[in-house]
Amino acid sequence: MKLVILDRDGVINEDRDDFVKNTMEWVPLPHSLEAIANLTQAGWHVVVATNQSGLARGLFDVHALNAMHEKMHRLVGQAGGRIDAIAYCPHGPDHGCECRKPLPGMVLELAERFNVKLQGLPLIGDSLRDLESVAAVGGQPILVRTGKGMQTLEKGGLPEGTLVFDDLFDAAEHLINL
């Protein structure tokens, strides 16, 4: 099985410094829906792993999060794609959980759920913590320049072997052509 893990904010949809809090603020990035459709049609299973500390901060509730994810599923479906699962961390940075990226909790959960090997498992993200979460378990970190990706690239310190692409569409094309 070919499985790819995507971060959400900054990879699939526009990121916001004040958090994406509702469906009106959840706006897909150009070509991201098409990228997911292309992956799906090429036989990839697409899953999402996203830190959602806005829940712990009281900026939105689980109903708003579910509505955002329903919108994402609907728009991806309309583009001809599918997201097979979404894992999210509802905790804040200081809660000491095992799921919040850069820890690999969500990566481990998704790999186990889909019964795939961790070695080489691709995760596409825009922040260092995304990349670290998959690198920690032997996966393939992939950075996109969208969202906070340019800042992440400029800061440096990327895990060894990190691949870098302009956006999700380009990263998806790379995976499809492997």
Side-chain angles (χ1 to χ4, degrees), residues 33-124:
L33 303 176
E34 184 182 353
I36 294 170
N38 290 348
L39 284 163
T40 301
Q41 293 166 17
W44 284 81
H45 290 268
V46 178
V47 297
V48 173
T50 178
N51 287 350
Q52 291 297 320
S53 68
L55 287 167
R57 298 169 198 259
L59 299 175
F60 54 87
D61 61 21
V62 73
H63 300 292
L65 182 64
N66 287 339
M68 288 183 263
H69 289 165
E70 287 170 16
K71 179 179 181 180
M72 180 173 64
H73 279 294
R74 185 180 72 255
L75 293 176
V76 166
Q78 288 171 354
R82 184 181 67 247
I83 294 175
D84 293 302
I86 300 173
Y88 68 90
C89 171
H91 306 109
D94 302 323
H95 280 102
C97 66
E98 294 296 317
C99 52
R100 184 174 173 78
K101 295 179 283 182
L103 295 175
M106 287 187 283
V107 173
L108 293 169
E109 172 194 333
L110 290 165
E112 183 178 330
R113 188 185 314 176
F114 286 87
N115 195 29
V116 296
K117 293 185 289 189
L118 293 167
Q119 191 64 37
L121 175 63
L123 184 147
I124 302 173

Side-chain angles (χ1 to χ4, degrees), residues 14-32:
E14 293 178 3
D15 199 357
R16 296 171 57 106
D17 290 334
D18 64 342
F19 297 86
V20 179
K21 300 174 291 301
N22 57 57
T23 57
M24 295 299 292
E25 294 177 353
W26 194 95
V27 178
L29 286 166
H31 309 295
S32 66

Side-chain angles (χ1 to χ4, degrees), residues 119-132:
Q119 191 64 37
L121 175 63
L123 184 147
I124 302 173
D126 68 324
S127 70
L128 183 59
R129 67 177 168 244
D130 296 326
L131 308 177
E132 290 172 336

